[in-house]
């Protein structure tokens, strides 16, 4: 099966899903947004590249560390907006578009998982964020595990939601098949968000980043993550098997697992209320967290 066929098939299905339901879901989404946190766009130059981010603007207690939301493969911080709006009244929230994706600049060189982690660290420095909690989805989980190992001083705690890749399903075909299987269980409007984000990044960037993702050994690297880590899994996530997230949570020195019934892979977009209910006790727990530093 060629990479071009995989890209064309996935794109065609996404387009049909988006055209079928984008307008009703947009109206429902507007109703749900009432009374939630507010976000503003910020553009920051980092190592010669412009990084776009969505940042919450509501006042929160000064002693609470910020939370950074890290998107998945081919996506951007845009599909993190529902979760960011639910967390915004409680915490300072940042949702950057990593280099090459969304509204950020597109470097000619396609970044690996390690390079994306380094780019995230550089963006934090440019934003004067000394330390934060992090929530990642899919590929974002791999980036955060890398960040926690290579730049541990930046990471207070981690949430890994729908971590990839399952070591038993590293092939491109298995990844795409899993993606298509979960489509009926996501909010339909996610198809439009994904399709437009994929178009911005380009199929070549998507495929090369996917190669880096499937070659990454998150299970082995998790043994070196010393920060408190919450693994979150949706019971209808057919991309990431329950057996894998269970083993991953157990291998993390300070890991635990939470399951959200009825949710699939994009919990941050499709089930932000249920996700927030699981997140807040973990993110606000004092535990052994050091005192908050300058959070910008």
């Amino acid at each position: 099966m060629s990479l071009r066929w995989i890209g064309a098939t996935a794109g065609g299905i996404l387009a049909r899903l988006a055209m079928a339901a984008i307008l009703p879901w947009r109206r429902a989404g507007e109703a749900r947004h009432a009374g939630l946190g507010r976000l503003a766009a910020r553009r920051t130059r980092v190592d010669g590249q412009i990084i776009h981010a969505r940042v919450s603007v509501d006042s929160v207690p000064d002693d609470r560390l910020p939370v950074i939301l890290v998107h998945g493969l081919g996506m951007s911080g845009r599909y993190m907006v529902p979760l960011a709006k639910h967390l915004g009244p409680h915490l300072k929230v940042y949702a950057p578009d990593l280099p090459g994706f969304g509204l950020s600049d597109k470097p000619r060189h396609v970044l690996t998982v390690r390079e994306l982690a380094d780019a995230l660290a550089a963006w934090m420095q440019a934003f004067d964020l000394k330390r934060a909690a992090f929530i990642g989805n899919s590929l974002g989980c791999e980036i955060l595990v890398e960040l926690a190992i290579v730049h541990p001083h930046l990471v207070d705690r981690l949430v890994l939601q729908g971590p990839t890749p399952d070591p038993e399903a590293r092939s491109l075909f298995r990844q795409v098949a899993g993606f298509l299987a979960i489509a009926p269980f996501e909010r339909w409007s996610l198809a439009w968000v994904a399709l437009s984000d994929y178009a911005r990044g380009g199929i070549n960037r998507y495929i090369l980043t996917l190669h880096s993702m499937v070659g990454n050994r998150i299970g082995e690297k998790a043994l070196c993550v010393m920060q408190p880590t919450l693994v979150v899994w949706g019971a209808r996530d057919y991309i990431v098997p329950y057996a894998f997230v269970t083993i991953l949570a157990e291998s993390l020195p300070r890991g635990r697992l939470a399951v959200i019934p009825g949710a699939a892979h994009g919990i941050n977009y499709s089930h932000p209320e249920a996700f927030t209910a699981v997140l807040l006790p973990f993110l606000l727990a004092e535990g052994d967290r050091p005192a908050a530093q300058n959070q910008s």
Side-chain angles (χ1 to χ4, degrees):
M1 181 175 294
S2 71
L3 298 178
R4 180 172 296 179
W5 184 92
I6 290 173
T9 301
I13 291 174
L14 283 170
R16 287 194 293 273
L17 292 177
M19 293 301 294
I22 183 172
L23 291 179
W25 275 107
R26 179 178 293 174
R27 288 193 292 267
E30 289 171 354
R32 278 193 295 270
H33 288 167
L36 300 179
R38 298 168 298 150
L39 304 175
R42 298 286 186 268
R43 292 168 60 83
T44 309
R45 184 170 294 278
V46 182
D47 296 333
Q49 301 283 332
I50 295 296
I51 302 298
H52 176 270
R54 295 159 183 86
V55 181
S56 62
V57 297
D58 296 303
S59 297
V60 298
D62 291 337
D63 61 347
R64 293 182 180 177
L65 282 167
V67 177
I68 298 174
L69 312 181
V70 181
H71 62 78
L73 176 64
M75 302 293 284
S76 72
R78 184 163 56 137
Y79 86 124
M80 291 290 187
V81 165
L83 178 61
K85 288 188 173 183
H86 279 78
L87 291 174
H90 310 279
L91 299 155
K92 185 75 170 181
V93 183
Y94 300 81
D97 298 346
L98 296 174
F101 302 101
L103 299 178
S104 293
D105 282 352
K106 311 295 186 294
R108 185 184 301 273
H109 169 66
V110 177
L111 277 63
T112 64
V113 170
R114 169 62 185 275
E115 290 169 333
L116 287 168
D118 289 340
L120 181 58
W123 172 81
M124 287 182 67
Q125 182 178 12
F127 235 102
D128 197 27
L129 293 167
K130 302 293 191 293
R131 190 175 178 88
F134 294 83
I135 302 169
N137 169 246
S138 197
L139 170 66
C141 299
E142 298 183 50
I143 295 168
L144 293 185
V145 166
E146 201 76 22
L147 184 75
I149 295 171
V150 180
H151 304 281
H153 61 287
L154 299 176
V155 181
D156 180 81
R157 59 194 59 204
L158 295 173
V159 177
L160 308 179
Q161 188 267 298
T164 55
D166 170 20
E168 302 301 321
R170 291 186 178 276
S171 72
L172 299 183
F173 173 77
R174 291 283 297 275
Q175 292 294 315
V176 172
F179 171 78
L180 299 178
I182 64 168
F185 305 109
E186 302 284 9
R187 277 177 58 190
W188 290 95
S189 54
L190 179 57
W192 171 250
V193 175
L195 185 64
S196 55
D197 276 348
Y198 294 165
R200 282 195 180 103
I203 188 63
N204 184 62
R205 188 178 305 277
Y206 181 96
I207 291 172
L208 291 177
T209 308
L210 178 60
H211 273 295
S212 179
M213 183 191 88
V214 299
N216 193 44
R217 303 278 178 177
I218 187 174
E220 298 171 9
K221 293 178 179 180
L223 297 169
C224 302
V225 175
M226 296 296 112
Q227 296 87 342
T229 304
L230 178 65
V231 180
V232 181
W233 181 73
R236 287 178 167 173
D237 189 345
Y238 302 124
I239 292 178
V240 183
Y242 178 69
F244 172 60
V245 294
T246 301
I247 294 171
L248 182 65
E250 292 174 349
S251 67
L252 287 156
R254 301 172 68 186
R256 51 184 158 135
L257 175 65
V259 176
I260 298 182
H265 194 59
I267 300 176
N268 50 283
Y269 188 86
S270 300
H271 292 74
E273 298 93 344
F275 198 9
T276 299
V278 169
L279 289 172
L280 286 179
F282 177 74
L283 295 173
L284 296 176
E286 291 299 324
D288 55 0
R289 183 170 63 196
Q293 303 178 51
N294 181 13
Q295 299 161 25
S296 187

